[in-house]
Amino acid sequence: MMRRERFYILACVLSGLFIVGFCLSILMAEKKPKYIWKFGTLGQDTIKMVSILTVDLTGDILKVTNSELKCVWYMGGVMGDEEDYIAKMRINQLQGALITGTANAMACPGISVMELPFLFNNWDEVDYVRNRLRPKLSKIAEKNGFKLLFDAGVDFEHFYSTKLPMKTPEDFKKSKMLSWHGPLEVEVLKTLGASPIPVNVPEIVPSMRAGVVDSCISPSFWWLAAQLYTITKYINPLPIRYDPGVFIVSMSAWNEIPLEYRKRIMKLMPPLNKKINQELRKVCKDSYKAMITYGCKEVKMIPEEIEVFRKRTRPVWNKMIGKSYSKEMLDDVLLLLKKYRTKKKVSM
């Protein structure tokens, strides 16, 4: 009997210790964060690239900051357009964002030079220039109030239209071409014959479906995710421009966390940046194929037709100096490209 009582008492003690330990583990796991960073992005939560940010990045940051820094994501434009993100970061309603286009130029003036028409021939050129230009872009962003965590290559963007092939200047004259990417895009479209209609990103889908506009330059993954392929008749895969994206945090939020945390977070960025870029390129390629398979007509252009586009848009490179980027920034990019192409024996 004594043995049974002792066994019972021991079992109760062990059970109690287990329960206490279990409760403590829950309390530790649910440790209230000291800092909260709220991020905005136009990316849809159905895109794997966004899940990398919301799961992998958020989890990694939580680990390296001892559960003191929590990231919360607002996706699909629920916090407004990308320009709204910049404004909200300046008043601390948001602490960070994944942005492209006009917002890029607001956060990191000069990065627009990467969007020049027919500047890059392939991803290898993009990566070569991007990696070497990053230190300068980081300094520019910091002077403007933002910490550049990484830059992502969104896509070599294409022309989409519900009515026209978009392969001649005459097509552009007849189109109701929307513009969402800022002054540089407007100038490029004008040189091709269009009269661009400014539309904020959250209004692109309803504007296209209502027929207010019928043509657009867009990354393929976004066009697919927005389900605009269902009304798209033509896709011209001419890589008119490279679209850089940047992941930023306001300097006020960045400087609020301990220096050690900042160092740990920056160590996370290079492998994450590589992973994001790889996934984006795969998603864009797969998205394009899916839309062609669905029934969107792929437009083919002969070299002579492409050359017309090149010659028409080339003056934009110098025209936008002092408006979208400095001459120094353009010279830096062209010099880097020259070095790369000389090494690879490719003509400018």
Side-chain angles (χ1 to χ4, degrees):
M1 191 70 180
M2 290 291 292
R3 287 182 180 179
R4 287 185 179 181
E5 290 178 354
R6 288 175 183 175
F7 178 78
Y8 177 75
I9 293 171
L10 179 61
C12 289
V13 171
L14 291 175
S15 297
L17 290 173
F18 174 78
I19 292 171
V20 170
F22 180 71
C23 292
L24 285 173
S25 67
I26 292 176
L27 289 172
M28 290 178 68
E30 295 181 351
K31 178 182 177 181
K32 187 176 181 180
K34 186 175 181 180
Y35 312 96
I36 296 177
W37 282 357
K38 292 177 284 187
F39 293 101
T41 177
L42 294 176
Q44 304 288 340
D45 57 5
T46 55
I47 301 172
K48 186 177 178 181
M49 180 273 296
V50 176
S51 74
I52 293 173
L53 293 173
T54 57
V55 179
D56 296 1
L57 173 65
T58 299
D60 288 346
I61 286 180
L62 201 63
K63 289 177 184 177
V64 301
T65 60
N66 301 321
S67 298
E68 289 193 347
L69 173 55
K70 180 180 180 181
C71 300
V72 179
W73 284 86
Y74 296 91
M75 296 169 288
V78 296
M79 293 294 279
D81 207 342
E82 291 184 336
E83 290 90 335
D84 297 324
Y85 300 163
I86 299 297
K88 289 178 179 180
M89 288 172 70
R90 294 195 185 281
I91 59 175
N92 207 35
Q93 286 184 356
L94 285 177
Q95 286 68 50
L98 180 64
I99 56 175
T100 60
T102 304
N104 265 357
M106 295 169 69
C108 187
I111 196 173
S112 297
V113 72
M114 302 281 281
E115 302 167 21
L116 285 171
F118 303 107
L119 180 64
F120 299 107
N121 293 323
N122 51 55
W123 284 115
D124 289 339
E125 290 185 353
V126 168
D127 290 340
Y128 182 87
V129 173
R130 185 175 57 84
N131 291 333
R132 286 157 182 77
L133 202 64
R134 189 181 298 114
K136 177 171 285 190
L137 292 175
S138 294
K139 289 180 180 179
I140 293 173
E142 287 186 23
K143 287 181 181 179
N144 208 37
F146 302 96
K147 179 66 179 178
L148 177 60
L149 297 184
F150 68 70
D151 52 299
V154 177
D155 200 0
F156 275 104
E157 297 185 337
H158 310 137
F159 294 113
Y160 295 81
S161 179
T162 60
K163 293 183 178 180
L164 300 160
M166 309 309 292
K167 66 182 296 186
T168 68
E170 191 61 31
D171 287 338
F172 280 84
K173 287 180 182 179
K174 294 177 181 178
S175 73
K176 290 186 286 186
M177 172 68 74
L178 74 82
S179 175
W180 63 278
H181 223 262
L184 178 55
E185 179 184 69
V186 168
E187 197 60 42
V188 170
L189 293 175
K190 284 181 178 179
T191 65
L192 292 174
S195 299
I197 302 169
V199 177
N200 290 330
V201 174
E203 299 303 316
I204 290 178
V205 174
S207 296
M208 288 291 297
R209 292 195 176 278
V212 176
V213 290
D214 56 42
S215 305
C216 181
I217 301 175
S218 172
S220 55
F221 79 86
W222 190 89
W223 204 258
L224 181 73
Q227 298 186 20
L228 284 170
Y229 66 93
T230 60
I231 61 169
T232 298
K233 186 173 182 180
Y234 296 102
I235 302 178
N236 185 337
L238 183 70
I240 184 64
R241 69 172 177 225
Y242 159 71
D243 185 14
V246 297
F247 181 41
I248 56 172
V249 173
S250 69
M251 287 303 298
S252 58
W254 182 250
N255 290 328
E256 185 183 12
I257 65 174
L259 178 61
E260 182 58 31
Y261 289 173
R262 284 179 254 161
K263 291 179 179 178
R264 293 176 187 175
I265 290 172
M266 289 311 296
K267 284 184 179 180
L268 296 174
M269 292 303 116
L272 180 72
N273 199 170
K274 183 177 180 179
K275 186 176 182 180
I276 287 287
N277 281 326
Q278 289 175 339
E279 184 58 33
L280 269 173
R281 293 169 195 185
K282 181 181 182 301
V283 167
C284 288
K285 187 177 180 179
D286 292 345
S287 297
Y288 181 81
K289 288 181 178 178
M291 289 186 286
I292 298 301
T293 300
Y294 175 81
C296 298
K297 186 174 181 180
E298 184 179 47
V299 177
K300 304 289 187 180
M301 295 182 71
I302 61 175
E304 290 78 11
E305 291 172 329
I306 296 174
E307 190 59 27
V308 170
F309 277 44
R310 287 183 180 275
K311 286 183 178 180
R312 277 179 169 258
T313 59
R314 183 61 180 80
V316 173
W317 290 22
N318 292 323
K319 186 172 183 179
M320 297 306 289
I321 291 175
K323 299 176 182 179
S324 294
Y325 46 81
S326 66
K327 185 178 185 303
E328 179 187 1
M329 187 67 77
L330 176 59
D331 289 343
D332 285 347
V333 170
L334 294 180
L335 181 59
L336 287 169
L337 276 174
K338 184 177 181 180
K339 287 181 178 178
Y340 179 85
R341 290 171 181 171
T342 299
K343 184 178 179 180
K344 296 292 182 178
K345 298 181 181 179
V346 177
S347 63
M348 289 289 286

